[in-house]
Amino acid sequence: MAINGLQELFVQGLQAVYDAEQQGINAAPAIAARVTHPELKQKLQERTDRGQQQLQRLEQAIQQAGSTPKGEPNEIAKGILAVGNKIMNETQDPDARDAGIIASGQIALHYHMAAYGTLRAYAEALGNDEAAQLLQQTLDERKQQDQDMTQLAEQVVNPKATANAA
Protein backbone atom coordinates (compact mmCIF):
# COMPACT_ATOMS: atom_id res chain seq x y z
CA MET A 1 0.00 0.00 0.00
CA ALA A 2 1.40 3.35 -1.02
CA ILE A 3 1.65 6.03 1.66
CA ASN A 4 0.52 9.43 0.44
CA GLY A 5 1.96 11.97 2.81
CA LEU A 6 2.86 12.52 6.42
CA GLN A 7 -0.70 12.07 7.72
CA GLU A 8 -0.89 8.53 6.33
CA LEU A 9 2.62 7.77 7.60
CA PHE A 10 1.55 9.05 11.02
CA VAL A 11 -1.55 6.83 11.09
CA GLN A 12 0.42 3.79 9.92
CA GLY A 13 3.01 4.41 12.65
CA LEU A 14 0.32 4.77 15.30
CA GLN A 15 -1.26 1.50 14.19
CA ALA A 16 2.13 -0.27 14.27
CA VAL A 17 2.87 0.95 17.81
CA TYR A 18 -0.66 -0.02 18.82
CA ASP A 19 0.07 -3.58 17.67
CA ALA A 20 3.44 -3.54 19.45
CA GLU A 21 1.77 -2.47 22.69
CA GLN A 22 -0.79 -5.25 22.36
CA GLN A 23 1.95 -7.82 21.71
CA GLY A 24 3.83 -6.66 24.81
CA ILE A 25 0.75 -6.77 27.02
CA ASN A 26 -0.12 -10.25 25.76
CA ALA A 27 3.42 -11.54 26.35
CA ALA A 28 3.78 -10.03 29.83
CA PRO A 29 2.22 -12.88 31.87
CA ALA A 30 4.53 -15.50 30.33
CA ILE A 31 7.55 -13.27 30.90
CA ALA A 32 6.58 -12.53 34.51
CA ALA A 33 6.15 -16.25 35.13
CA ARG A 34 9.83 -16.85 34.30
CA VAL A 35 11.17 -14.03 36.50
CA THR A 36 12.65 -14.91 39.88
CA HIS A 37 13.56 -11.51 41.32
CA PRO A 38 10.54 -10.04 43.17
CA GLU A 39 11.33 -6.40 42.32
CA LEU A 40 11.61 -7.25 38.62
CA LYS A 41 8.34 -9.15 38.81
CA GLN A 42 6.73 -6.07 40.40
CA LYS A 43 8.13 -3.74 37.72
CA LEU A 44 6.79 -6.02 34.99
CA GLN A 45 3.35 -5.97 36.60
CA GLU A 46 3.47 -2.18 36.79
CA ARG A 47 4.46 -2.12 33.12
CA THR A 48 1.44 -4.26 32.24
CA ASP A 49 -0.90 -2.00 34.19
CA ARG A 50 0.64 1.11 32.61
CA GLY A 51 0.49 -0.57 29.20
CA GLN A 52 -3.30 -0.58 29.35
CA GLN A 53 -3.28 3.18 29.93
CA GLN A 54 -0.78 3.67 27.12
CA LEU A 55 -2.96 1.60 24.82
CA GLN A 56 -5.94 3.83 25.64
CA ARG A 57 -3.86 6.92 24.85
CA LEU A 58 -2.85 5.39 21.54
CA GLU A 59 -6.50 4.71 20.75
CA GLN A 60 -7.23 8.39 21.44
CA ALA A 61 -4.31 9.50 19.25
CA ILE A 62 -5.45 7.22 16.42
CA GLN A 63 -8.94 8.65 16.68
CA GLN A 64 -7.47 12.18 16.74
CA ALA A 65 -5.71 11.28 13.49
CA GLY A 66 -9.07 10.32 11.95
CA SER A 67 -8.66 6.55 12.02
CA THR A 68 -9.91 3.56 13.98
CA PRO A 69 -7.54 1.53 16.20
CA LYS A 70 -6.93 -1.78 14.49
CA GLY A 71 -3.21 -2.35 14.72
CA GLU A 72 -0.81 -2.61 11.81
CA PRO A 73 1.13 -5.91 12.11
CA ASN A 74 4.43 -4.98 13.74
CA GLU A 75 7.24 -7.31 12.73
CA ILE A 76 9.80 -5.35 14.77
CA ALA A 77 7.92 -6.02 18.02
CA LYS A 78 7.42 -9.63 16.98
CA GLY A 79 11.17 -10.01 16.46
CA ILE A 80 12.05 -8.37 19.76
CA LEU A 81 9.67 -10.72 21.58
CA ALA A 82 11.16 -13.72 19.75
CA VAL A 83 14.66 -12.77 20.94
CA GLY A 84 13.34 -12.32 24.49
CA ASN A 85 11.67 -15.73 24.36
CA LYS A 86 14.90 -17.33 23.17
CA ILE A 87 16.78 -15.77 26.09
CA MET A 88 14.12 -16.92 28.57
CA ASN A 89 14.02 -20.46 27.20
CA GLU A 90 17.76 -21.00 26.80
CA THR A 91 19.13 -19.34 29.95
CA GLN A 92 19.22 -21.88 32.74
CA ASP A 93 20.57 -19.74 35.58
CA PRO A 94 17.58 -17.81 37.02
CA ASP A 95 19.59 -14.68 37.86
CA ALA A 96 21.18 -14.58 34.41
CA ARG A 97 17.72 -15.13 32.91
CA ASP A 98 16.41 -12.14 34.88
CA ALA A 99 19.31 -10.05 33.52
CA GLY A 100 18.44 -11.21 30.00
CA ILE A 101 14.78 -10.39 30.50
CA ILE A 102 15.73 -6.88 31.54
CA ALA A 103 18.03 -6.53 28.52
CA SER A 104 15.42 -7.70 26.02
CA GLY A 105 12.82 -5.54 27.76
CA GLN A 106 15.06 -2.52 27.36
CA ILE A 107 15.49 -3.27 23.67
CA ALA A 108 11.70 -3.14 23.40
CA LEU A 109 11.64 0.07 25.46
CA HIS A 110 14.19 1.72 23.18
CA TYR A 111 12.16 0.77 20.12
CA HIS A 112 9.05 2.25 21.74
CA MET A 113 10.87 5.44 22.76
CA ALA A 114 12.09 5.94 19.18
CA ALA A 115 8.62 5.26 17.78
CA TYR A 116 6.80 7.51 20.25
CA GLY A 117 9.30 10.32 19.73
CA THR A 118 8.94 10.11 15.96
CA LEU A 119 5.15 9.95 16.13
CA ARG A 120 5.03 12.90 18.50
CA ALA A 121 7.15 14.90 16.05
CA TYR A 122 4.77 13.93 13.22
CA ALA A 123 1.77 14.98 15.32
CA GLU A 124 3.39 18.34 16.02
CA ALA A 125 4.23 18.86 12.34
CA LEU A 126 0.63 18.04 11.44
CA GLY A 127 -0.73 20.45 14.07
CA ASN A 128 -2.32 17.64 16.06
CA ASP A 129 -1.42 19.01 19.49
CA GLU A 130 -3.69 16.66 21.43
CA ALA A 131 -2.13 13.55 19.89
CA ALA A 132 1.33 15.05 20.42
CA GLN A 133 0.57 15.52 24.11
CA LEU A 134 -0.74 11.95 24.48
CA LEU A 135 2.34 10.55 22.77
CA GLN A 136 4.70 12.70 24.85
CA GLN A 137 3.09 11.42 28.06
CA THR A 138 3.76 7.83 27.03
CA LEU A 139 7.27 8.70 25.87
CA ASP A 140 8.02 10.23 29.28
CA GLU A 141 6.72 7.09 31.01
CA ARG A 142 8.84 4.86 28.80
CA LYS A 143 11.96 6.90 29.54
CA GLN A 144 11.31 6.58 33.27
CA GLN A 145 10.72 2.86 32.94
CA ASP A 146 14.02 2.51 31.09
CA GLN A 147 15.84 4.37 33.87
CA ASP A 148 14.17 2.19 36.51
CA MET A 149 15.14 -1.00 34.69
CA THR A 150 18.74 0.18 34.24
CA GLN A 151 18.98 0.93 37.95
CA LEU A 152 17.51 -2.46 38.90
CA ALA A 153 19.87 -4.25 36.51
CA GLU A 154 23.00 -2.40 37.59
CA GLN A 155 22.37 -2.38 41.32
CA VAL A 156 20.67 -5.72 41.94
CA VAL A 157 20.15 -8.22 39.13
CA ASN A 158 23.46 -8.04 37.24
CA PRO A 159 25.62 -8.24 40.39
CA LYS A 160 23.62 -11.25 41.56
CA ALA A 161 24.01 -12.95 38.17
CA THR A 162 27.72 -12.15 38.17
CA ALA A 163 28.16 -13.67 41.63
CA ASN A 164 26.61 -16.92 40.40
CA ALA A 165 28.96 -17.02 37.40
CA ALA A 166 32.08 -16.96 39.57
Side-chain angles (χ1 to χ4, degrees):
M1 176 176 137
I3 296 173
N4 296 312
L6 189 60
Q7 178 65 30
E8 287 183 20
L9 187 62
F10 177 53
V11 171
Q12 182 187 46
L14 289 169
Q15 296 288 4
V17 172
Y18 185 76
D19 183 67
E21 290 288 4
Q22 289 179 313
Q23 287 184 50
I25 290 168
N26 291 337
I31 295 168
R34 299 295 306 271
V35 167
T36 57
H37 193 278
E39 190 174 348
L40 177 55
K41 201 175 278 271
Q42 174 65 34
K43 289 203 178 293
L44 290 173
Q45 181 58 51
E46 291 169 6
R47 164 41 191 130
T48 301
D49 296 342
R50 196 173 309 114
Q52 293 295 339
Q53 296 168 344
Q54 292 167 345
L55 203 58
Q56 290 173 351
R57 274 189 236 123
L58 266 175
E59 289 169 355
Q60 291 173 9
I62 292 168
Q63 291 166 351
Q64 285 290 319
S67 190
T68 306
K70 61 182 181 263
E72 178 78 23
N74 190 317
E75 296 301 318
I76 295 169
K78 190 176 186 179
I80 291 169
L81 284 170
V83 169
N85 282 330
K86 182 176 173 136
I87 290 169
M88 282 192 319
N89 293 329
E90 294 180 5
T91 307
Q92 299 302 312
D93 176 68
D95 295 316
R97 185 174 45 245
D98 284 355
I101 288 170
I102 289 173
S104 60
Q106 286 190 286
I107 291 168
L109 279 168
H110 293 181
Y111 162 73
H112 280 97
M113 289 186 306
Y116 279 109
T118 298
L119 292 170
R120 187 221 47 237
Y122 288 171
E124 289 172 350
L126 293 164
N128 190 335
D129 295 336
E130 188 173 338
Q133 183 179 21
L134 292 166
L135 295 164
Q136 183 63 52
Q137 184 177 355
T138 298
L139 177 59
D140 291 342
E141 289 173 358
R142 292 301 192 142
K143 287 179 179 179
Q144 184 60 54
Q145 184 183 5
D146 183 52
Q147 290 173 358
D148 292 347
M149 293 303 268
T150 295
Q151 183 178 9
L152 178 61
E154 290 176 348
Q155 294 179 1
V156 180
V157 175
N158 293 353
K160 193 171 179 186
T162 302
N164 292 345

